Amino acid sequence: MFRRSSLYALLAALLVAGAFVATRPAVSAPAPVRIMPLGDSITAGTGCWRAMLWHRLQTAGYTNIDFVGGVSDGGGCNPGYSYDGDHEGHGGYSATGIADNNQLPPWLSAARPEIVLVHLGTNDMWGHYIPTATKLAAFTKLVGQMRAQNPAMKIIVAKIIPMSASSCSTCPADIIEFNNAILSWAAGLTTSQSPITVVDQWTGFDPATDTGDGVHPNNSGYQKMADRWYPALAQALGGASSSPTSSPVPSPSASRSTSPSPSASPSASPSAVPSVSPSTGGGCTATYQVVSQWGGNFQGEVTVRNGSTKASSAWTATFSFANGQQVTQSWSTTLSQSGATVVARNVSYNGTLAAGASTSFGFLAGWNNVTNAVPAVTCTIG
């Protein structure tokens, strides 16, 4: 048996130990890894590849992550599970436009990512105006801006998904040329501190069955994109995933030169300042922006926002050109032009907008190379 003095000594020791444990500082949980999806309407839109990728990461145990960016899709994908909807996808934006106008640094400063997923270049393909060398120079500038914000940035860049010839006759071959150049471009810029990983989103993606319009993915296309992103992102997060496919894309049957096109490339900055015009349609607002312009042509973007307290099922945006501008191509919308008046309506995948959510559509148009006035845009939601 313990003597009473021994028992008192034991109790005193336990009390001291308990006090020591109680006063030990708590160990802080590691901060979530900040991941920025960066791109155009294929990243914005309904954003379903982002939702699918987020869900797979969560179910695989990668729960300490945070998708970041200045845009939120408001849960527009509706996959049946919750996901982080933050991203930096901007419908209608091009890699050259983002680089020329230095749009990336403030996005990086606000979001502070540690990993960036890049699917950019689709809007640089329209019309065969921009040489591959110019597109790659834009990517190089963007990488430099990422590393200026974070010298240890992990960068995951996609060989972009294909487009159908019916949507853009020159784009399929231009995309192949661009994708074939990405591997050597990445190899020349990657470093141990800031590695660049190339993910092949092109191989096995069929625009006839994996898109709804020859450009933007449908659910099967989004699933393929999420499946391709996952191994590279898991590896960047420290997982033991296999390396993503990064073999060269097969060359097109008709060889293409990588020398610059004689066509004029876009100017360094748009000539017009974006205009925001509230509509009379029950809480709908719209923003018009000239993304880039070059000899006789320009690229525009309109962002439609549901400012009401209820979800929308459809939207319509209307504006009139004052200088004879004529739309030649559009995406993420059903668009018609009669004289100066342009009427744009949602397509199947971007009509539903939660309260506070937004979506964008883009277009190419001709102009008189003298004046390209910004029109006021009105919109309605239903």
Side-chain angles (χ1 to χ4, degrees):
M1 293 179 63
F2 283 113
R3 293 180 181 272
R4 180 174 295 180
S5 59
S6 300
L7 180 60
Y8 287 161
L10 176 61
L11 289 173
L14 290 173
L15 287 171
V16 170
F20 174 73
V21 171
T23 57
R24 288 176 64 189
V27 178
S28 300
V33 179
R34 302 173 68 83
I35 304 164
M36 174 192 279
L38 172 65
D40 45 45
S41 58
I42 294 168
T43 297
T46 53
C48 288
W49 71 256
R50 292 182 286 99
M52 294 170 178
L53 178 58
W54 171 269
H55 184 65
R56 183 170 178 183
L57 289 165
Q58 297 293 304
T59 56
Y62 297 99
T63 56
N64 197 33
I65 58 173
D66 183 11
F67 278 12
V68 295
V71 186
S72 177
D73 61 24
C77 182
N78 298 316
Y81 46 78
S82 61
Y83 65 96
D84 189 337
D86 295 333
H87 62 93
E88 206 65 69
H90 298 269
Y93 277 44
S94 61
T96 51
I98 293 172
D100 288 346
N101 296 301
N102 291 311
Q103 291 169 304
L104 183 58
W107 299 345
L108 293 169
S109 179
R112 297 176 290 106
E114 299 161 78
I115 302 173
V116 181
L117 306 179
V118 185
H119 190 286
L120 265 176
T122 299
N123 292 315
D124 299 88
M125 302 296 165
W126 297 100
H128 188 51
Y129 294 113
I130 306 174
T132 294
T134 303
K135 298 165 192 169
L136 294 176
F139 270 63
T140 300
K141 182 176 180 178
L142 296 178
V143 167
Q145 292 172 338
M146 292 176 198
R147 289 171 173 169
Q149 193 273 330
N150 179 359
M153 189 78 77
K154 295 179 180 178
I155 304 163
I156 304 176
V157 179
K159 290 183 175 182
I160 63 175
I161 63 173
M163 297 165 63
S164 69
S166 61
S167 299
C168 170
S169 61
T170 60
C171 289
D174 278 351
I175 290 174
I176 290 172
E177 182 178 298
F178 173 76
N179 284 341
N180 278 338
I182 280 290
L183 278 176
S184 59
W185 167 84
L189 283 180
T190 193
T191 67
S192 58
Q193 185 182 19
S194 176
I196 301 175
T197 303
V198 176
V199 171
D200 186 359
Q201 294 284 4
W202 189 91
T203 302
F205 193 103
D206 185 351
T209 57
D210 295 327
T211 73
D213 56 5
V215 180
H216 299 90
N218 55 24
N219 282 339
S220 70
Y222 282 133
Q223 187 64 65
K224 286 184 178 181
M225 291 188 71
D227 291 345
R228 291 296 176 89
W229 285 123
Y230 175 78
L233 183 52
Q235 191 171 49
L237 291 168
S241 299
S242 59
S243 298
T245 302
S246 58
S247 57
V249 176
S251 299
S253 55
S255 62
R256 293 287 303 270
S257 169
T258 57
S259 60
S261 162
S263 302
S265 45
S267 60
S269 61
S271 62
V273 177
S275 171
V276 179
S277 304
S279 77
T280 57
C284 185
T285 58
T287 304
Y288 179 105
Q289 180 178 16
V290 175
V291 176
S292 59
Q293 63 186 24
W294 57 100
N297 295 277
F298 72 97
Q299 178 181 326
E301 180 195 55
V302 175
T303 299
V304 176
R305 181 179 183 275
N306 178 7
S308 73
T309 58
K310 297 181 179 179
S312 71
S313 58
W315 52 262
T316 301
T318 305
F319 55 92
S320 293
F321 287 124
N323 311 114
Q325 299 95 323
Q326 189 70 37
V327 175
T328 56
Q329 293 185 24
S330 63
W331 51 93
S332 298
T333 182
T334 300
L335 183 147
S336 62
Q337 181 171 358
S338 177
T341 302
V342 177
V343 178
R345 295 182 172 85
N346 64 277
V347 288
S348 60
Y349 56 82
N350 64 1
T352 301
L353 295 177
S358 60
T359 189
S360 300
F361 66 89
F363 61 88
L364 297 180
W367 67 301
N368 60 20
N369 227 16
V370 177
T371 305
N372 191 8
V374 172
V377 185
T378 60
C379 67
T380 59
I381 54 175

